[in-house]
């Protein structure tokens, strides 16, 4: 009887061990993966190029700034849909003004019908009805959508930018069309920069969240240019030199923010960031 009981217990122990091993392995493996993931986030967050600008950027949900995945010596192909010839030229100039800021970012306007070419950024003019359906608001004039890689905190292609056709014929400041303003603003979203609500950014950046009638800005400011170059033209020596010259300072507190308009940004479960202006 004792021998049979012993054999039975041994079998139970063996079976329990065999079943328990993969379960334990799963939890150990998951823990290791979590540790590796969080270590990677800390490594990205600690990069000097984000000093002082991380509060200006969208993140992956783990406070790691999102950046566009720029490949060396590879242009970013941009498609323009539903624009008139004059509007197309205006849009091209708007994109060129951003292109000229960063040495590492090169935009190339491509033929919409060229399906053999990878389209990295697609800019479309759409009707107010379509914009309302897309954004959920009847006063949205620009909208940007993209997916992102959570682990690497990089924005995936294609990036979709939508411009409300209601901006046709309007100016944001004298000599600068509202359409140009919207495209420039949304293009900065494609680089990971977010809407800014604090009153200290009023008339300081094209990313201040306000309707055009409340701003005197129609182009990228020196503040915008500095931030773009810091993030995308980054080299350790360049950033250290900028620190030495006092051009970069960590002076952007994340508290005491004043919101002039309700923030219209959502992060969905499928890792999609949506921005509206």
């Amino acid at each position: 009887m004792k021998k049979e009981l012993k054999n039975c217990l041994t079998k139970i122990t063996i079976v329990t061990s065999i079943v328990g091993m993969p379960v334990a392995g799963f939890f150990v493996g998951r823990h290791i993966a979590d540790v590796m993931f969080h270590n990677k986030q800390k490594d990205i967050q600690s990069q000097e190029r984000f000093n002082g600008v991380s509060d200006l950027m969208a993140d992956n949900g783990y406070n790691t700034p999102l950046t566009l995945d720029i490949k060396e010596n590879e242009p970013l192909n941009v498609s323009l849909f539903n624009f008139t010839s004059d509007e197309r030229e205006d849009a091209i100039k708007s994109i060129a003004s951003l292109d000229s800021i960063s040495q590492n970012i090169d935009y190339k306007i491509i033929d919409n019908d060229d399906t053999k070419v990878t389209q990295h950024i697609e800019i479309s003019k759409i009707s107010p009805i379509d914009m309302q359906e897309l954004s959920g608001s009847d006063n949205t004039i620009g909208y940007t959508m993209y997916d992102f890689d959570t682990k690497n905190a990089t924005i995936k292609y294609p990036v979709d930018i939508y411009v409300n056709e209601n901006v046709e014929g309007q100016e944001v400041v004298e000599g600068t069309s509202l359409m140009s303003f919207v495209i420039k603003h949304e293009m900065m979203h494609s680089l990971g920069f977010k809407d800014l609500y604090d009153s200290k950014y009023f008339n300081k950046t094209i990313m201040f969240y306000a309707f055009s009638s409340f701003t005197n800005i129609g182009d990228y400011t020196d503040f915008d240019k500095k931030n773009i170059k810091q993030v995308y033209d980054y080299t350790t020596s360049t950033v250290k030199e900028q620190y030495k010259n006092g051009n970069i300072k960590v002076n952007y507190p994340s508290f005491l923010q004043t919101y002039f308009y309700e923030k219209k940004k959502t992060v969905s479960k499928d890792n999609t960031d949506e921005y509206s202006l």
Side-chain angles (χ1 to χ4, degrees):
M1 180 67 177
K2 290 182 179 181
K3 185 176 181 180
E4 292 176 358
L5 179 60
K6 182 178 180 181
N7 289 338
C8 182
L9 289 174
T10 301
K11 291 177 182 179
I12 293 174
T13 302
I14 293 173
V15 171
T16 302
S17 298
I18 292 174
V19 173
M21 284 173 63
V23 174
F26 170 79
F27 285 107
V28 170
R30 182 174 179 180
H31 175 69
I32 293 174
D34 286 342
V35 170
M36 292 177 65
F37 174 83
H38 287 287
N39 284 342
K40 184 175 182 63
Q41 301 312 299
K42 290 180 180 178
D43 287 342
I44 298 175
Q45 293 164 11
S46 64
Q47 292 179 11
E48 291 184 352
R49 64 175 176 155
F50 295 126
N51 283 328
V53 299
S54 58
D55 284 348
L56 310 178
M57 306 187 72
D59 63 65
N60 65 351
Y62 296 88
N63 298 318
T64 308
L66 287 174
T67 54
L68 196 62
D69 187 16
I70 304 292
K71 298 290 191 301
E72 187 175 1
N73 299 322
E74 181 178 322
L76 296 177
N77 297 321
V78 182
S79 296
L80 298 167
F81 295 92
N82 303 325
F83 292 95
T84 65
S85 57
D86 289 342
E87 291 170 345
R88 182 180 174 87
E89 290 303 313
D90 196 13
I92 291 174
K93 290 179 181 177
S94 302
I95 296 167
S97 67
L98 178 58
D99 193 328
S100 65
I101 296 172
S102 170
Q103 295 181 357
N104 293 335
I105 303 177
D106 178 25
Y107 295 105
K108 179 182 179 182
I109 308 299
I110 64 170
D111 189 338
N112 301 337
D113 298 326
D114 193 346
T115 57
K116 296 180 181 179
V117 178
T118 300
Q119 300 187 26
H120 298 99
I121 300 174
E122 299 178 3
I123 306 177
S124 305
K125 186 180 70 172
I126 61 177
S127 70
I129 295 176
D130 288 339
M131 182 64 84
Q132 182 176 3
E133 183 176 344
L134 184 68
S135 68
S137 172
D138 59 359
N139 59 7
T140 302
I141 56 176
Y143 202 73
T144 297
M145 296 180 64
Y146 55 71
D147 294 332
F148 59 86
D149 179 338
T150 303
K151 180 180 179 181
N152 296 304
T154 52
I155 295 170
K156 295 181 179 179
Y157 300 108
V159 176
D160 294 305
I161 294 176
Y162 301 95
V163 179
N164 194 323
E165 65 182 26
N166 274 346
V167 304
E168 292 177 350
Q170 297 188 51
E171 289 188 341
V172 59
V173 293
E174 187 176 355
T176 302
S177 70
L178 180 56
M179 180 170 293
S180 173
F181 170 85
V182 172
I183 289 176
K184 290 172 184 175
H185 177 99
E186 301 302 324
M187 286 292 285
M188 275 199 73
H189 277 321
S190 75
L191 294 177
F193 292 93
K194 64 183 180 181
D195 292 319
L196 300 174
Y197 304 87
D198 196 315
S199 58
K200 69 183 179 183
Y201 296 119
F202 179 68
N203 278 341
K204 187 176 182 180
T205 169
I206 202 169
M207 299 313 292
F208 182 76
Y209 190 83
F211 291 134
S212 59
S213 57
F214 291 95
T215 181
N216 295 320
I217 292 176
D219 202 354
Y220 300 112
T221 65
D222 290 341
F223 180 76
D224 293 325
K225 293 175 182 178
K226 178 187 78 68
N227 295 331
I228 292 169
K229 290 181 69 66
Q230 180 180 329
V231 174
Y232 286 96
D233 291 349
Y234 166 78
T235 63
T236 301
S237 58
T238 300
V239 172
K240 286 183 176 179
E241 187 66 25
Q242 288 176 313
Y243 264 112
K244 180 180 177 181
N245 296 333
N247 295 328
I248 301 176
K249 298 178 181 178
V250 182
N251 57 358
Y252 306 116
S254 59
F255 54 88
L256 299 179
Q257 292 192 349
T258 302
Y259 291 85
F260 286 86
Y261 295 93
E262 180 183 359
K263 187 176 183 181
K264 290 183 173 60
K265 175 199 169 191
T266 60
V267 180
S268 63
K269 293 181 180 179
D270 61 348
N271 289 344
T272 301
D273 262 15
E274 301 178 357
Y275 285 94
S276 61
L277 176 67

